[in-house]
Amino acid sequence: MRLAFDEIEEAVANTFSRILEREATAERAREAERNATGVDDQLWKMLVRAGALEVGIPTQSESGGLLLAAIVSEMIGAHIAPVPFSEIVSAQRLIARLEDENAGLLSEIASGARVITITVANGCNAAEPQLVPAGTIADATLVRATNAVWLHPRPGNVVKAETLDGGSSAFWTTTADGAQRLASADVAEQLWNRAEADVRVLTASELVGMAERAVAIAAEYARTRNQFGRLIGSYQGLSHPLADAVTAIEGARLLTRKAAWSVDTNDPEYEAIAAMAFVNAWEVSQKAVSHCLRVHGGYGFMSEYDIQLYYRRVKAAPLRIGSWPNEQSRTSNLIYGYGSRA
């Protein structure tokens, strides 16, 4: 695995770093939480025009592109940009692996004309309303049910979910009525396994970005806040866990990029590596942001301080995948080869 960025990766990183530094502010994240969709529509359109959704399209019919998308996802996390990305790119990558008759659908997604998300936690035959990532703005969602991949249109009874992160998830009634079958049997299984790996890798990358920026915020606060006549950063109980978090986050980044590389290169173990990357990134990031919140003391819980934005988003991230205990079980099953992978 190559650790340094190549010329294309460097260009992608520089391009989206500049956009997000300028546009994705904490104030705009707060504004998005208060609107009906949880999305900054202006920022979303800007990222689409800049080609954010196209960087993850596989370079071949089966592989490529995930590492580039992971780079963008990490930056989106660092800036807590109130836009859907992981779920949209993962849906687009699945469609890109289908036959040529879906080329028009793919171009609609890339241009922003149509928003298609993916729901990896549930099937379209569920009796109860299901939590759909980016469901407030999506025109359709990909789901898997009855050994097939379906494109399910937006129902009329969409209800924005009151999640901890104030994001764009919504409850949909995902019955099979009106759904379009995209793939069946073994093809559906292969497509869905890759899509699930994509979602986990991109979410892990976003978590790494959030955790790293949260530690930077906490470290800056510790360098300026005085308590008992001393800067709080001089107290080992605060400074040492921050140092530990830096090391753990770098390890999570390495595993996440290894997971992206494993998907891009068709590594036989890509599913297990992607699952490990997500579990590790969430554990590392939630521990990091929890300590960063404590560094701020009581201020950390106040809406005026940015650290609570990172804390809430990290805590809510597993909702895109499903139940956190189930995710841990699934990861162990993939690694040790027993039980269910669902």
Side-chain angles (χ1 to χ4, degrees):
M1 188 181 83
R2 174 175 46 80
L3 298 180
F5 285 171
D6 63 21
E7 188 175 325
I8 295 175
E9 292 160 354
E10 191 69 40
V12 167
N14 290 338
T15 297
F16 290 100
S17 176
R18 287 194 296 268
I19 294 173
L20 292 166
E21 284 286 353
R22 183 179 68 248
E23 302 292 338
T25 63
E27 290 73 21
R28 288 177 67 167
R30 291 183 174 90
E31 289 175 8
E33 286 188 352
R34 294 190 290 267
N35 70 33
T37 63
V39 175
D40 185 327
D41 188 57
Q42 181 181 350
L43 177 60
W44 169 248
K45 290 178 179 177
M46 186 176 296
L47 291 174
V48 170
R49 287 196 301 269
L53 301 183
E54 297 176 275
V55 298
I57 296 177
T59 55
Q60 304 170 11
S61 60
E62 290 294 332
S63 62
L66 188 59
L67 180 56
L68 283 176
I71 293 169
V72 178
S73 185
E74 185 176 322
M75 293 179 182
I76 285 174
H79 296 279
I80 49 172
V83 294
F85 183 77
S86 302
E87 52 270 54
I88 307 299
V89 170
S90 298
Q92 186 182 26
R93 283 171 55 81
L94 187 153
I95 293 170
R97 296 189 181 104
L98 292 168
E99 299 299 327
D100 292 339
E101 61 261 24
N102 293 289
L105 182 58
L106 194 64
S107 63
E108 286 182 330
I109 301 171
S111 67
R114 193 172 183 190
V115 179
I116 297 179
T117 184
I118 186 168
T119 306
V120 301
N122 308 291
C124 66
N125 292 326
E128 299 296 328
Q130 304 299 313
L131 189 67
V132 176
T136 60
I137 67 168
D139 300 303
T141 184
L142 297 175
V143 294
R144 186 185 181 193
T146 60
N147 200 27
V149 175
W150 302 79
L151 180 65
H152 191 283
R154 180 187 182 94
N157 56 339
V158 171
V159 179
K160 182 182 178 183
E162 296 298 325
T163 53
L164 190 63
D165 61 349
S168 57
S169 295
F171 288 105
W172 288 23
T173 302
T174 53
T175 62
D177 296 340
Q180 175 187 352
R181 188 196 302 265
L182 297 182
S184 301
D186 292 343
V187 173
E189 181 177 5
Q190 293 170 11
L191 288 171
W192 198 255
N193 290 343
R194 286 185 174 278
E196 286 190 324
D198 290 348
V199 172
R200 285 168 171 82
V201 171
L202 294 177
T203 303
S205 297
E206 193 172 337
L207 285 165
V208 167
M210 286 190 283
E212 185 173 55
R213 184 60 64 93
V215 168
I217 292 171
E220 180 61 27
Y221 184 80
R223 284 193 291 265
T224 58
R225 172 69 173 170
N226 276 284
Q227 192 68 284
F228 306 114
R230 296 174 60 184
L231 292 172
I232 63 172
S234 65
Y235 295 107
Q236 294 181 357
L238 293 182
S239 60
H240 286 192
L242 286 177
D244 291 340
V246 171
T247 304
I249 291 167
E250 192 58 37
R253 174 182 287 115
L254 179 62
L255 181 55
T256 298
R257 289 185 178 166
K258 177 179 174 62
W261 174 84
S262 72
V263 174
D264 280 343
T265 58
N266 298 313
D267 188 300
E269 302 297 324
Y270 77 88
E271 286 185 85
I273 299 172
M276 285 189 289
F278 172 72
V279 168
N280 180 66
W282 190 81
E283 289 180 343
V284 165
S285 60
Q286 67 88 22
K287 183 177 181 179
V289 296
S290 294
H291 181 68
C292 291
L293 197 76
R294 289 193 292 270
V295 168
H296 285 73
Y299 289 134
F301 295 92
M302 296 175 65
S303 60
E304 293 84 355
Y305 282 76
D306 293 347
I307 195 64
Q308 52 84 23
L309 295 169
Y310 289 85
Y311 178 86
R312 289 191 288 110
R313 279 159 175 73
V314 166
K315 289 291 185 179
L319 289 174
R320 301 179 195 172
I321 311 297
S323 164
W324 176 246
N326 287 349
E327 184 65 17
Q328 292 177 308
S329 297
R330 177 183 181 276
T331 302
S332 66
N333 292 338
L334 284 168
I335 295 170
Y336 298 111
Y338 62 88
S340 172
R341 69 196 299 161

